[in-house]
Amino acid sequence: MTPPPLTGARLVWITLALSLATFMQVLDTTIANVALPTIAGNLGAATSQGTWVITSFGVANAIAVPLTGWLAKRVGEVRLFVASTVLFVLASWLCGLAPNLPLLIAFRILQGAVAGPLIPLSQSLLLACYPPEKKGMALALWAMTVIVAPIFGPLLGGWISDNWHWAWIFFINIPVGLFAAAVARRELQGRESEIKALPIDRVGLTLLVLGVGALQLMLDKGKELDWFHSSEVVMMAIVAVVALTYLVIWELGEEHPIIDLSLFRIRNFTVGVICISLGYMMYFGGVVLLPLMLQTQLGYTATWAGIASAPVGILPVLLSPIIGKNAHRLDMRWLVTVSLSVFALCFFWRTHFSPQMDLAYVIWPQFVQGIGLACFFMPLTTITLSRVAPNRVASASSLSNFLRILAGSIGASVSTTLWDTREAVHHTQLTAAIDSGGSVAQQWFGLLGQAGLSAGQQAALTAREITTQGYVLASNEVFWGAGCLFVLLLGLIWFAKPPFGHSGGDGGAH
């Protein structure tokens, strides 16, 4: 029997606890990035070795997320959530105490693995606690944490590593996690989901670990190893393709699969997952590329790059509760259409970036993009889960979040690789234009000569300017491509079928 929805103070407390757990986990995926040079230097390692602090967490997390639905059926959603939160706190404490890089990487693997169930379960438990007419509000509040946490991560990570010890980027999880676990355990008492003694799908689990692990490693290390010019990357790609292909074949015929692929028979789930994954892939690619361009080419510090990126979180905080409150009156497809249109507009807006632009020109597209974010996560999650039976929501949520996170990794890798590739093309073209000695080149060198620069200084300044111009042009092209893909997604969302309520579907094909 499904427990009744929570009301009053209990609903407020559980919303706060589940949101904080999500915030903590999402924050941890980005907070260590800017502190990496500090961590590597403090532990006596090269920065290139230190990147494993990020990679190890991402690989372990990518493997653990799709296991959530199966684990929740074996041990119960509430018990799994509380245990994962407590173990995340323990792993964070161990990360902060790590005396050397190998131990820190080992503890980050543990942290990523136990963090896997937090996002899917916070979503499914929150939906189970709200009455049907307020489930839109629940998803809106949940989405706010997913939007805001990646913005706070670099800002908080940079500030902590500059002013305190780097270990505090992990220690701050301890009070937050203990509070979330204690409140969840108290408020969700007696609301445990049905537990089934499911057999372990050992073949599926092995294929999942091999396939997802190899794919995530390939995405994380590909750029550093020059992609398919590296035998390591080629080997990881082969392992990923073979293992994931066999995983799909095996899981479709398995009675108790580790991943429930039969969910894709539900039309709304398939449409929702494709839209949220592809949309997030392009959005996250932009999240990675924008501060990278600002810092490496336009002279922004990490703090100012964070400040330039942060306005994207303002409007979602203001609009999400309004959208959530009125969700039951709205057609989710129209909200997603608004979201994708705003994303396309903002990415096209960025195609006019130049090395001479001021901070305001960076901030305004970020601010307006907040409208797109406010109308993105909650409506698409609502569509994705709208025809899924209550006892399959944890499985659906874990599979959806896994594909979204994986798509984000692909977006980050593809955008930065395209950025470098296109810069090389523009660098060659601009250099050829200078070498041709045309009127523009003569005017440029004339100005440099009048400024009193020697021939060597002129050559060095020209080479640096060509590189900057090449990278800015390359980023504009990546943004243009993402904008075009957002336009293409506009048609796909209309294949979803209303109604989009959460009264619980039968989980069959619709």
Side-chain angles (χ1 to χ4, degrees):
M1 182 180 173
T2 304
L6 296 179
T7 55
R10 289 188 68 191
L11 191 58
V12 173
W13 279 113
I14 196 59
T15 302
L16 180 62
L18 295 174
S19 298
L20 279 175
T22 303
F23 184 87
M24 173 182 70
Q25 198 264 304
V26 177
L27 184 77
D28 235 62
T29 60
T30 58
I31 194 170
N33 293 24
V34 292
L36 206 55
T38 306
I39 294 172
N42 190 265
L43 296 178
T47 303
S48 58
Q49 292 175 305
T51 57
W52 282 102
V53 174
I54 310 298
T55 303
S56 56
F57 180 92
V59 171
N61 192 248
I63 293 169
V65 170
L67 291 173
T68 302
W70 179 81
L71 284 170
K73 288 176 182 174
R74 274 188 70 96
V75 302
E77 290 184 28
V78 176
R79 192 176 291 119
L80 179 60
F81 177 82
V82 173
S84 294
T85 307
V86 172
L87 288 172
F88 188 83
V89 167
L90 175 62
S92 299
W93 178 66
L94 291 172
C95 285
L97 294 178
N100 54 55
L101 188 62
L103 270 179
L104 176 57
I105 291 171
F107 295 143
R108 280 286 278 177
I109 291 171
L110 174 63
Q111 191 188 36
V114 299
L118 293 181
I119 290 180
L121 287 183
S122 65
Q123 199 175 64
S124 61
L125 288 171
L126 202 60
L127 284 172
C129 291
Y130 274 73
E133 67 276 8
K134 292 185 177 179
K135 290 186 189 290
M137 176 63 79
L139 286 173
L141 294 170
W142 179 88
M144 280 169 57
T145 61
V146 178
I147 294 165
V148 173
I151 299 164
F152 272 91
L155 288 171
L156 200 55
W159 186 81
I160 288 172
S161 58
D162 287 344
N163 296 281
W164 292 0
H165 189 271
W166 62 263
W168 282 96
I169 67 176
F170 300 112
F171 288 154
I172 58 172
N173 291 332
I174 295 173
V176 177
L178 290 177
F179 171 82
V183 172
R185 187 172 182 274
R186 184 189 71 198
E187 300 300 339
L188 296 175
Q189 198 168 13
R191 298 180 65 85
E192 187 58 271
S193 60
E194 182 185 357
I195 298 173
K196 297 178 181 177
L198 296 175
I200 299 174
D201 176 14
R202 290 183 177 86
V203 174
L205 181 58
T206 303
L207 291 170
L208 177 72
V209 171
L210 280 174
V212 174
L215 179 59
Q216 191 69 36
L217 277 171
M218 185 188 82
L219 293 171
D220 285 350
K221 306 300 289 184
K223 186 163 179 267
E224 181 186 322
L225 299 173
D226 197 19
W227 291 103
F228 295 105
H229 294 288
S230 162
S231 58
E232 285 181 59
V233 173
V234 171
M235 183 57 67
M236 285 187 283
I238 293 170
V239 171
V241 169
V242 173
L244 292 175
T245 301
Y246 275 98
L247 176 66
V248 171
I249 295 168
W250 177 266
E251 295 297 85
L252 289 174
E254 174 64 21
E255 188 179 352
H256 301 288
I258 205 92
I259 302 175
D260 188 1
L261 295 178
S262 67
L263 287 160
F264 284 106
R265 294 174 186 156
I266 306 170
R267 181 197 286 194
N268 283 7
F269 179 83
T270 303
V271 171
V273 165
I274 292 172
C275 282
I276 202 168
S277 298
L278 292 180
Y280 188 75
M281 179 181 76
M282 292 176 286
Y283 163 70
F284 195 73
V287 167
V288 172
L289 185 58
L290 181 62
L292 185 64
M293 182 195 70
L294 294 177
Q295 290 179 74
T296 60
Q297 304 306 318
L298 302 185
Y300 283 61
T301 63
T303 301
W304 276 104
I307 291 169
S309 303
V312 75
I314 297 172
L315 288 177
V317 171
L318 299 174
L319 294 177
S320 291
I322 299 170
I323 293 170
K325 187 176 181 180
N326 296 284
H328 60 286
R329 301 191 189 101
L330 302 170
D331 186 332
M332 294 293 110
R333 295 172 299 181
W334 280 112
L335 286 178
V336 177
T337 299
V338 169
S339 171
L340 298 175
S341 301
V342 170
F343 272 124
L345 169 68
C346 292
F347 274 88
F348 287 138
W349 192 345
R350 293 188 186 99
T351 61
H352 298 288
F353 277 2
S354 73
Q356 293 76 37
M357 65 183 175
D358 58 13
L359 179 63
Y361 201 85
V362 182
I363 284 177
W364 276 113
Q366 286 294 102
F367 178 76
V368 174
Q369 187 171 277
I371 300 170
L373 272 183
C375 299
F376 184 74
F377 284 104
M378 188 282 284
L380 277 171
T381 304
T382 301
I383 289 171
T384 301
L385 302 179
S386 60
R387 302 295 181 94
V388 177
N391 64 337
R392 302 178 78 193
V393 168
S395 295
S397 179
S398 65
L399 183 53
S400 171
N401 278 287
F402 160 66
L403 292 171
R404 176 182 62 81
I405 293 166
L406 188 62
S409 296
I410 294 170
S413 295
V414 169
S415 64
T416 51
T417 300
L418 282 175
W419 190 52
D420 283 332
T421 304
R422 293 302 300 168
E423 187 280 331
V425 172
H426 290 299
H427 197 286
T428 302
Q429 292 171 343
L430 291 169
T431 302
I434 291 292
D435 291 343
S436 67
S439 59
V440 175
Q442 291 175 9
Q443 185 180 4
W444 165 255
F445 285 117
L447 288 170
L448 295 182
Q450 290 172 18
L453 273 66
S454 66
Q457 290 172 325
Q458 289 180 30
L461 181 61
T462 301
R464 190 174 69 199
E465 185 65 25
I466 285 174
T467 299
T468 299
Q469 293 280 359
Y471 272 116
V472 172
L473 287 170
S475 65
N476 291 353
E477 289 177 344
V478 173
F479 292 142
W480 181 84
C484 291
L485 288 172
F486 273 116
V487 172
L488 292 177
L489 278 182
L490 282 168
L492 179 61
I493 193 60
W494 289 94
F495 283 94
K497 291 178 65 177
F500 302 116
H502 283 285
S503 55
D506 58 10
H510 291 282

